[in-house]
Amino acid sequence: MNRGEWFRRLPWMIVFCTVSLALCGLSGIAHGDALAGEGAFFERQVVWLVISLPAMLAAALVPYQMFKRNSYLLFGISLVLLLAVYFFPIRNGSHRWIPLGVMNFQPSELAKLAYILALARYLMYRANYRNLTGLLVPFLLSLVPLALILREPDLGTAMLFLPVLFAMLFAAGARTRHLVSIACLGIAVLPLLWMGMSAEQKSRIVTLFVQQDSGRAPAGDGYHLHQSKQVIALGGVWGSETTGMAVDDPRAYHLPAARTDFIFCMIGERWGLVGCAVMLILYLFLFARGLAVAASTREPFGRLIAVGIVALLAAQTVINTGMVVGLMPITGLTLPLASYGGSSLLFTCVALGLLMNVALRPGYHIASEPFRFSRG
């Protein structure tokens, strides 16, 4: 592919949405710094963005067949790193990071992408997952990183693996009735999952059903949810950037993790309902373009990783935005491209680079049309 053809076929909608969402995130992080009156989160995020965008371009340029050859190795390395976090001190109540001097690396971000690559390689050209027993290996492949991440504890990231698994199995041709049966079985074993959760994880789920919207802010996990909804409400329709601050009391704007897990609140307060709507539309355009890439790709591995990446980012967006308005339990989950965090931003950009990679090579090699099964 020559340079002119490469430039013409580059999925510019993905590039536009990526950069726009990152800029929206920067505006929210800057607002969070201003409200807190301290911190240099904005400057550090700019540095990470400068690193992440070239990484996205590099992931788009390297033929993705190289990732296929090394997918199992990469998945194995990610599992080792998920185990390695327990050899480092607890930070913010959990084992999630590996300190690397000037930065902290979060292995679960790598694990999400490595999992998609490994699962895509396993599912391509196979038909055994058309049988109920053939779904055992894909589910075991999913449960290993899920269990390790849940043990950190990190409920938010662990919640992402099953939506990705179901989306990729469906795209690969698994029978709908088998997936529905497994989903029902999963609902039936929820009590066992509940018993395995930490007290903090249980508290965050219970808070979802006892939330209150009036009176004084509650203590504990309920405080986060109360403040997140209040901060978004203070932005109104147009946001404080246009109409000014709604109240003078700085305590009304206090929100823990405002520049990470609750960045959507900062954007909502600064740019109002209009700003939130613009962000959600950008995400919809990004996901729609990603699904279009998957639909136009004949090569099985490429199609599956495209579906997996879209499912991952869509699930993460739904969970994060849902939790800040009281529709999902509060979890330590970032909003893709917008939240502060080096590991999150870097691997999200690499994932989108892979999506662009597939778009540039829709028929990488000659093969029969994949996944032509009856859905029975």
Side-chain angles (χ1 to χ4, degrees):
M1 185 187 305
N2 59 46
R3 185 177 301 177
E5 185 181 0
W6 183 89
F7 188 83
R8 179 180 58 81
R9 293 181 59 179
L10 191 70
W12 289 105
M13 179 58 73
I14 294 177
V15 177
F16 171 75
C17 291
T18 298
V19 174
S20 298
L21 288 167
L23 292 177
C24 289
L26 286 175
S27 73
I29 293 169
H31 193 52
D33 283 349
L35 289 176
E38 60 181 1
F41 290 83
F42 174 80
E43 290 81 2
R44 291 198 289 267
Q45 188 74 349
V46 169
V47 172
W48 276 112
L49 185 60
V50 170
I51 295 171
S52 300
L53 290 179
M56 180 175 72
L57 181 62
L61 289 174
V62 178
Y64 67 81
Q65 292 294 83
M66 187 194 74
F67 293 98
K68 182 176 73 173
R69 291 192 295 270
N70 297 286
S71 56
Y72 290 153
L73 175 62
L74 190 62
F75 184 62
I77 291 173
S78 71
L79 295 181
V80 171
L81 292 175
L82 287 176
L83 289 170
V85 297
Y86 296 102
F87 293 94
F88 296 94
I90 293 178
R91 187 167 176 261
N92 296 331
S94 63
H95 289 281
R96 298 187 192 178
W97 296 273
I98 296 177
L100 299 176
V102 297
M103 60 168 285
N104 293 306
F105 171 64
Q106 192 169 358
S108 59
E109 296 295 334
L110 170 63
K112 291 186 296 186
L113 186 55
Y115 163 75
I116 291 173
L117 294 172
L119 184 60
R121 181 175 176 182
Y122 178 81
L123 292 178
M124 61 179 294
Y125 298 136
R126 291 178 182 268
N128 57 342
Y129 49 81
R130 296 282 293 162
N131 301 315
L132 193 58
T133 55
L135 295 174
L136 181 61
V137 172
F139 270 87
L140 289 177
L141 198 67
S142 309
L143 289 177
V144 174
L146 188 154
L148 290 174
I149 293 172
L150 194 62
R151 186 72 178 83
E152 290 181 354
D154 186 355
L155 175 62
T157 303
M159 289 171 64
L160 298 174
F161 284 83
L162 292 183
V164 172
L165 172 65
F166 274 81
M168 293 180 68
L169 284 173
F170 182 81
R175 295 182 187 275
T176 305
R177 64 175 182 270
H178 292 164
L179 297 179
V180 172
S181 299
I182 292 173
C184 293
L185 179 62
I187 294 173
V189 300
L190 282 179
L192 296 177
L193 179 63
W194 174 263
M195 289 188 293
M197 288 183 177
S198 66
E200 180 185 6
Q201 291 168 339
K202 291 179 180 178
S203 173
R204 292 185 175 187
I205 294 174
V206 170
T207 299
L208 179 66
F209 299 98
V210 296
Q211 56 185 297
Q212 59 186 54
D213 296 326
S214 60
R216 298 181 60 183
D221 291 319
Y223 177 79
H224 294 72
L225 182 55
H226 180 276
Q227 287 299 107
S228 68
K229 293 188 291 184
Q230 175 171 281
V231 169
I232 287 182
L234 288 172
V237 176
W238 300 104
S240 62
E241 189 71 20
T242 303
T243 61
M245 305 291 279
V247 298
D248 296 327
D249 187 359
R251 291 175 298 179
Y253 295 91
H254 180 258
L255 180 60
R259 288 153 286 194
T260 52
D261 303 342
F262 293 93
I263 189 64
F264 195 66
C265 299
M266 290 292 99
I267 295 167
E269 197 286 321
R270 185 172 187 179
W271 302 109
L273 180 63
V274 173
C276 291
V278 168
M279 278 201 75
L280 293 177
I281 290 171
L282 287 170
Y283 280 118
L284 286 175
F285 278 130
L286 179 62
F287 303 149
R289 186 65 182 91
L291 290 177
V293 170
S296 62
T297 303
R298 295 176 60 85
E299 199 276 315
F301 182 73
R303 179 179 292 189
L304 285 170
I305 61 175
V307 170
I309 289 169
V310 172
L312 172 68
L313 298 181
Q316 193 167 336
T317 301
V318 169
I319 293 172
N320 181 276
T321 55
M323 78 177 186
V324 302
V325 296
L327 297 177
M328 300 285 287
I330 298 294
T331 60
L333 191 63
T334 58
L335 184 61
L337 297 170
S339 292
Y340 171 80
S343 298
S344 174
L345 181 61
L346 177 62
F347 284 104
T348 299
C349 284
V350 170
L352 289 169
L354 276 174
L355 188 60
M356 294 164 59
N357 196 325
V358 175
L360 290 168
R361 302 169 176 85
Y364 189 89
H365 63 267
I366 298 174
S368 59
E369 188 163 352
F371 317 132
R372 291 187 63 89
F373 299 118
S374 170
R375 283 284 171 192

